[in-house]
Amino acid sequence: MLQRNNRIQRAILSIIGILAGSFLFTFGLNNFIIANRLAEGGFVGISLLGIYLYNIPLSISFIVLNIPLLFIGWKRFGRIFIIKTIVGVVSVSVFSEFTIDLFHMGVQDKLLAALYGGVFSGLGLGIIFRFGGTTGGADIIARLVNHSFGWSMGRTMFTLDVIVITATAFIVGKDAAMYSLVALFVASRVIDVVIEGVSSSRAMFIISDATQAIATKIQDELERGTTLLKGTGGYTGRDKEVLYVVVSREEISRVQEICRDIDPDAFLVVNEVHDVLGEGFNPLKAK
């Protein structure tokens, strides 16, 4: 009963966090990015092009673009991931309307708009990622491409961003596209700061009496490979298994949730890792 209550409290806290992140993200979007006709990456960027070209509200186009991917993702990535993604998509759509007339910052300098827009975007998205949510779109596509072709999620998302920014250059001008790249860079750095790290990947050591169950759930839900290492308790002298897994920064909170559900007494260590090569990350190429 206590464990169930804890899960409910964590779910409520995650939803509140995703809502707060969506509010900050859309606040920066409306007051700095859209107000100065700059661009964003991913599906938000495509929705902005819809605003600039046809005056289609972001609240409509963003949901319409995500609906097909949500159905695909439901089958591939599980219920919890998609539910949090739906919360992120819907909250971004709702707050994109709510924050239009909320505080008119009136920043007309495009460089300042790019910097502050990047800060608010990164802060909002970082909070969403930290609570295990996503804003759908490019994130789901990146996971699908990673599963099918082995491309890293970061590479796929960067490719999509470049395509959107290139399209922006033809529609709103080269200057706006270059300022938009500044905003994207700032946002990416702020995201790293919010979720505590500058590396896109993390190595996790998990010490538990239920490492096999945790490993199985990580493999099933995240499709990440795991390794079980032999260890010995320094105090007890008992043999133990240590679970080793490398995940993306967005997946850290999901691994933590899995450990809480299976063994709340598990001991976790998270390390930054660089140049992760192999299946699910960057391919290991011969020189």
Side-chain angles (χ1 to χ4, degrees), residues 144-214:
L144 291 172
V145 171
N146 175 263
H147 178 75
S148 301
F149 303 105
W151 276 34
S152 69
M153 289 181 60
R155 182 186 301 178
T156 302
M157 295 177 76
F158 177 76
T159 302
L160 293 172
D161 289 345
V162 168
I163 292 172
V164 174
I165 297 299
T166 302
T168 302
F170 288 100
I171 295 170
V172 298
K174 291 182 290 184
D175 288 352
M178 288 188 286
Y179 284 122
S180 299
L181 287 174
V182 172
L184 286 174
F185 176 78
V186 173
S188 68
R189 296 300 92 195
V190 174
I191 288 173
D192 289 334
V193 171
V194 171
I195 56 182
E196 297 181 339
V198 294
S199 173
S200 62
S201 300
R202 299 290 187 270
M204 302 185 72
F205 290 91
I206 303 170
I207 302 173
S208 167
D209 292 327
T211 49
Q212 188 61 64
I214 294 172

Side-chain angles (χ1 to χ4, degrees), residues 42-224:
F43 274 28
V44 172
I46 297 174
S47 297
L48 294 190
L49 294 179
I51 293 175
Y52 300 150
L53 287 173
Y54 306 109
N55 203 29
I56 301 173
L58 184 146
S59 58
I60 296 175
S61 59
F62 189 60
I63 286 184
V64 170
L65 288 170
N66 273 286
I67 286 175
L69 292 176
L70 290 174
F71 279 109
I72 296 172
W74 184 278
K75 297 179 180 180
R76 287 291 187 92
F77 306 121
R79 184 180 61 181
I80 300 300
F81 171 75
I82 293 301
I83 288 175
K84 288 188 175 182
T85 301
I86 290 173
V87 173
V89 170
V90 172
S91 59
V92 166
S93 298
V94 172
F95 284 132
S96 68
E97 292 291 328
F98 178 73
T99 56
I100 289 177
D101 298 317
L102 186 67
F103 306 121
H104 289 286
M105 305 302 293
V107 176
Q108 296 179 345
D109 186 302
K110 289 189 182 295
L111 179 58
L112 282 178
L115 293 174
Y116 279 95
V119 168
F120 276 96
S121 293
L123 186 60
L125 290 174
I127 292 173
I128 291 172
F129 291 154
R130 189 183 179 106
F131 284 92
T134 75
T135 54
D139 185 56
I140 296 179
I141 292 176
R143 290 174 187 272
L144 291 172
V145 171
N146 175 263
H147 178 75
S148 301
F149 303 105
W151 276 34
S152 69
M153 289 181 60
R155 182 186 301 178
T156 302
M157 295 177 76
F158 177 76
T159 302
L160 293 172
D161 289 345
V162 168
I163 292 172
V164 174
I165 297 299
T166 302
T168 302
F170 288 100
I171 295 170
V172 298
K174 291 182 290 184
D175 288 352
M178 288 188 286
Y179 284 122
S180 299
L181 287 174
V182 172
L184 286 174
F185 176 78
V186 173
S188 68
R189 296 300 92 195
V190 174
I191 288 173
D192 289 334
V193 171
V194 171
I195 56 182
E196 297 181 339
V198 294
S199 173
S200 62
S201 300
R202 299 290 187 270
M204 302 185 72
F205 290 91
I206 303 170
I207 302 173
S208 167
D209 292 327
T211 49
Q212 188 61 64
I214 294 172
T216 299
K217 198 163 185 179
I218 290 174
Q219 290 161 7
D220 291 343
E221 294 191 6
L222 304 184
E223 297 185 346
R224 293 294 189 191

Side-chain angles (χ1 to χ4, degrees), residues 260-278:
R260 289 192 194 100
D261 290 340
I262 296 176
D263 181 13
D265 296 322
F267 185 82
L268 278 70
V269 178
V270 182
N271 293 325
E272 295 180 8
V273 291
H274 301 276
D275 295 329
V276 182
L277 307 176

